[in-house]
Amino acid sequence: MRKTVIATAAVLVAVVFFLLATLPPRPSQLVSTGTDPELIRRTIRGAYHVHTDRSDGAASKSIVAAAAARAGLRFLILTDHGDATGIPDPPAYIDGVLCIDAVEISTSGGHYVALDMPPSPYPLGGAPSAVVEDVTRLGGFGIAAHPDHPKAELAWTDWDAPIAGIEWINADAEWRNEGTLQLPRILFAYLLRPAPAIASVFDRPEKTLKRWDRLNSTRQIVALAAVDAHGGAGEEENHGWGGIGPSYDASFRTLTSRVMLERPLSGDAADDARELLEAIRRGSVYSVVDAISPDVALGLESGGFAVRSQLPEGAKAVLISGGDHARRLEVTAAGAPGDPPVPWVLSNWVGRSTTPRPVAGEPDGQRAPTRLQAGEWRVEKDERSQGQIVAESGVVTLRYELGQAPRQSQFVAASTDLAEKSPFSGLVFRGRAASPMRVSVQLRFPPDDLRWVASVYLEPDERDLFVPVDSMQPAERTGGRMPPSESARSLLFVVDLVNARPSDAGHLVVSDLRVIR
Ligand SMILES: [Zn+2]
Ligand SMILES: [Zn+2]
């Protein structure tokens, strides 16, 4: 008995010693001398991508802001999940921290964060390209979230869509892709050194950095470091969600964004938020893994980002160049976690190419569209929704009223049977609606009635619209490859809960329907 106790104690002591020996180092404190004080005043340290109890975060905005203040942050960009129809709180200083509301939108191809955007008139969702288009139209700045997320349905997938920004690293995704065997070690380390423990799971995200660099050769894409903080132990005010994760406090000491403003903050929340968001849009922002060391300063000149503070021993600034004299900066630190090691500091690109991107969604104009071979128009709907259709001389008007909440699968559609004999590559038509909305254009195929869909934006001013067949995505998971276009049995214009809410009512008008062969 006594022997067993002694043996167990010995093993425990050995385990604890092992765990202590493998603790990640504390963040190094560097005495910075000679850094331009004016530059320090204009460089604002904060956290981008933070959740509160308005979605799946553990604590209220004021508690989150207090944690940010303790960690020495000056701003927070709060990105609660939503469909972008909610009215964001105006920017406000809470505990000296500039809190700016943004939104993280779920698409069918990953999460997209929209900054600096008024509420959308209809719920944003569906295809990633549609959400990117809507965010751009609304004047927002959209960021592809956690491209490396281990859960495939959360990782961003549409690299052809004209995104404005990309998360080069996401602390939450890095945490989740670690092996289960590592978790006890990380947990132990977290109890003693929270921020270094979180950073101990970081790696250099090779794939995402390559993708970013490649995209950046055609247009500027701003890269941001996302803490994706949800809060955790001791902060669980949000019992409904019960998230377990690192605390806000620890997250805010792990990974920060440094935004370089044209002037220091004035204390006026609205003005300062404008200045900060403009700087992010310009790419005047760099990322720092504070858990390695928070003490670093970069400056930005026309030639690019440059280190403006003394680097610790073993740290190395690496200039990465693209075409057109474009460059960005990575600073590596000795002993940085990861394999390959995560950059300690990462800047945005400067001197990018200005090659314009081809505008998507335009017919190539090679072949003139021909009239669509279709039959009578009729309404299809679920039993709780209402719809009426008037089709006269090629003008189809659909009036719809979706059934009341709760959300089921309310929909109203204008549908017609197709009699196309030869393949077509796209549909063209003119469309308008009583108020801004998205309508889903769908082709339905025999024998199982599987549908391929793409949504288009309609507004009171009539627009010329083009739906390339190869942009259509399967509506059902079993979809696979689209059958030949000419075998489509019906064409539908569908209003459903992807971009509308229960009880929504209105009308849309579609005319001059043609196909491109
Ligand atoms: Zn997300
Ligand atoms: Zn998130």
Side-chain angles (χ1 to χ4, degrees):
M1 177 67 191
R2 242 183 92 199
K3 273 188 182 164
T4 328
V5 173
I6 290 170
T8 314
V11 168
L12 272 177
V13 167
V15 167
V16 167
F17 268 98
F18 170 75
L19 289 171
L20 285 173
T22 56
L23 269 188
R26 286 197 179 82
S28 49
Q29 307 269 333
L30 308 168
V31 191
S32 66
T33 47
T35 306
D36 178 6
E38 199 267 335
L39 175 68
I40 292 173
R41 274 198 303 276
R42 283 194 295 114
T43 305
I44 311 302
R45 176 160 163 256
Y48 152 78
H49 199 147
V50 177
H51 295 273
T52 72
D53 61 4
R54 291 174 298 179
S55 65
D56 56 352
S60 66
K61 194 167 172 172
S62 56
I63 288 178
V64 178
R70 283 196 302 277
L73 302 191
R74 314 275 305 280
F75 75 87
L76 276 182
I77 296 180
L78 302 165
T79 56
D80 281 302
H81 298 279
D83 61 13
T85 56
I87 298 172
D89 291 348
Y93 275 102
I94 305 176
D95 278 340
V97 179
L98 179 59
C99 295
I100 299 172
D101 271 7
V103 58
E104 182 171 12
I105 304 159
S106 299
T107 81
S108 60
H111 289 174
Y112 197 55
V113 175
L115 312 185
D116 201 11
M117 188 173 80
S120 169
Y122 53 88
L124 302 192
S129 57
V131 174
V132 171
E133 182 191 305
D134 286 344
V135 167
T136 306
R137 181 184 318 100
L138 288 162
F141 185 80
I143 300 147
H146 38 68
D148 292 311
H149 204 289
K151 283 191 194 154
E153 69 272 24
L154 301 184
W156 186 256
T157 51
D158 189 344
W159 298 107
D160 295 324
I163 56 171
I166 186 172
E167 293 181 355
W168 73 269
I169 190 169
N170 180 295
D172 188 56
E174 295 281 325
W175 176 263
R176 282 167 206 272
N177 69 19
E178 221 52 27
T180 358
L181 282 174
Q182 292 297 317
L183 288 177
R185 184 190 62 75
I186 299 164
L187 200 67
F188 180 82
Y190 178 79
L191 295 173
L192 297 174
R193 288 180 194 162
I198 300 172
S200 74
V201 303
F202 291 179
D203 300 289
R204 186 177 194 278
E206 296 281 357
K207 213 172 88 194
T208 294
L209 288 176
K210 275 213 183 79
R211 176 135 38 212
W212 174 43
D213 292 344
R214 208 161 46 234
L215 287 172
N216 214 83
S217 63
T218 53
R219 67 191 198 280
Q220 189 188 26
I221 308 263
V222 174
L224 292 172
V227 282
D228 210 349
H230 294 78
E235 293 166 317
E236 57 276 347
E237 289 199 330
N238 190 355
H239 299 290
W241 292 81
I244 339 158
S247 70
Y248 289 109
D249 202 288
S251 298
F252 296 156
R253 295 170 199 268
T254 303
L255 183 63
T256 61
S257 300
R258 313 291 175 96
V259 182
M260 297 165 65
L261 306 179
E262 285 181 335
R263 56 152 176 86
L265 294 174
S266 69
D268 178 307
D271 270 10
D272 290 347
R274 170 101 337 266
E275 184 78 12
L276 189 103
L277 292 166
E278 283 306 325
I280 290 176
R281 283 176 184 265
R282 285 197 302 275
S284 180
V285 51
Y286 59 96
S287 315
V288 178
V289 181
D290 288 48
I292 295 173
S293 170
D295 301 326
V296 64
L298 300 192
L300 178 56
E301 294 143 22
S302 58
F305 281 90
V307 179
R308 286 281 173 270
S309 57
Q310 252 164 343
L311 290 183
E313 219 174 272
K316 230 169 64 193
V318 184
L319 258 186
I320 292 163
S321 344
D324 278 6
H325 313 293
R327 75 202 61 186
R328 65 178 179 83
L329 190 67
E330 277 184 30
V331 186
T332 59
D339 181 22
V342 69
W344 168 34
V345 182
L346 183 138
S347 85
N348 265 287
W349 279 97
V350 172
R352 73 208 138 89
S353 143
T354 49
T355 319
R357 272 173 64 86
V359 181
E362 293 269 313
D364 55 17
Q366 295 287 312
R367 277 148 289 180
T370 53
R371 244 182 69 118
L372 180 80
Q373 300 303 309
E376 295 279 288
W377 286 88
R378 58 179 182 269
V379 171
E380 293 185 30
K381 62 179 193 63
D382 70 299
E383 41 190 59
R384 305 195 312 149
S385 302
Q386 301 301 324
Q388 277 170 9
I389 209 159
V390 179
E392 272 172 3
S393 30
V395 180
V396 182
T397 304
L398 175 71
R399 290 184 188 282
Y400 63 89
E401 186 178 340
L402 294 177
Q404 290 174 353
R407 293 175 70 93
Q408 285 171 339
S409 0
Q410 287 95 324
F411 77 97
V412 179
S415 97
T416 184
D417 290 334
L418 294 180
E420 289 293 329
K421 302 256 169 352
S422 48
F424 52 93
S425 62
L427 290 157
V428 285
F429 56 96
R430 299 173 66 78
R432 63 185 162 86
S435 54
M437 68 174 299
R438 264 193 181 270
V439 66
S440 175
V441 183
Q442 309 190 349
L443 290 174
R444 191 164 57 197
F445 293 86
D448 301 320
D449 283 348
L450 294 183
R451 292 163 300 140
W452 268 258
V453 311
S455 77
V456 295
Y457 170 74
L458 301 179
E459 60 183 13
D461 288 333
E462 191 164 56
R463 309 178 70 216
D464 284 312
L465 294 149
F466 170 54
V467 177
V469 165
D470 64 10
S471 74
M472 301 180 95
Q473 300 290 324
E476 290 85 10
R477 276 179 198 283
T478 48
R481 262 180 78 94
M482 185 167 146
S485 54
E486 69 277 18
S487 68
R489 182 181 285 160
S490 353
L491 167 68
L492 303 98
F493 290 88
V494 185
V495 183
D496 61 18
L497 297 184
V498 174
N499 295 111
R501 287 162 289 203
S503 304
D504 275 0
H507 71 265
L508 61 95
V509 181
V510 167
S511 62
D512 204 10
L513 250 168
R514 288 168 297 161
V515 288
I516 296 180
R517 304 277 162 207

